[in-house]
Amino acid sequence: MREQLRISGVPESIVDDAVLILSELLSNACRHGRPLGAREIGDGDIRAAWRVDKAGRLTVEVTDGGGPTRPVPATPSVTARGGRGLNIISALAQDWGVRDGAGGEVTVWVTVACGARYDDFATRVAAPAIDFSAPFDDLDP
């Protein structure tokens, strides 16, 4: 994935986010989903895909055979060993969701913007512009 996205001209910071997102989605599919294919014999796989559309949005998808619950962000305790994956994805993604397919397949998809969203995020988390020198200008030794 990393190499294909680099060749496609996706910025390195977004490639890093996409790799993390794919890792989280695959982990969730392995832990909570069933493999694709014939369930009675345990035959099947988990399918991953990614693409960049003409507007520069990267979409990452993972499809499995479904599971007993729907993917939703959790609220784990501070000491919990897991349960943060979809919250991480939500923080990195422009959008994400779940799509049901034929035969019980479930696809979790994540869209990452390759442009303005990252500029906006950097602006939102920037340190406040406080000039600490102004209050001390009147103090002369």
Side-chain angles (χ1 to χ4, degrees):
M1 171 190 221
R2 186 178 294 277
E3 189 62 28
Q4 288 178 357
L5 293 177
R6 283 180 180 155
I7 290 169
S8 297
V10 174
E12 192 65 32
S13 62
I14 294 168
V15 171
D16 290 341
D17 288 352
V19 169
L20 176 58
I21 288 167
L22 179 62
S23 172
E24 291 294 339
L25 292 178
L26 288 171
S27 296
N28 286 350
C30 289
R31 183 174 180 156
H32 302 290
R34 291 184 287 270
L36 297 165
R39 294 172 211 249
E40 62 275 359
I41 58 173
D43 186 23
D45 297 314
I46 295 170
R47 193 169 48 238
W50 50 89
R51 66 185 169 282
V52 178
D53 68 15
K54 292 179 182 178
R57 290 181 304 264
L58 169 64
T59 300
V60 179
E61 299 181 345
V62 170
T63 303
D64 61 38
T69 61
R70 301 290 291 171
V72 294
T75 308
S77 71
V78 174
T79 58
R81 291 185 153 191
R84 294 172 183 83
L86 288 176
N87 291 316
I88 292 168
I89 288 171
S90 294
L92 296 174
Q94 182 179 25
D95 196 13
W96 74 274
V98 181
R99 183 175 64 242
D100 295 317
E105 291 181 1
V106 173
T107 299
V108 180
W109 56 268
V110 179
T111 302
V112 182
C114 292
R117 186 222 179 262
Y118 284 87
D119 295 337
D120 176 55
F121 181 75
T123 302
R124 286 186 286 127
V125 297
I130 299 174
D131 183 5
F132 288 105
S133 64
F136 299 105
D137 286 345
D138 295 334
L139 301 176
D140 287 326

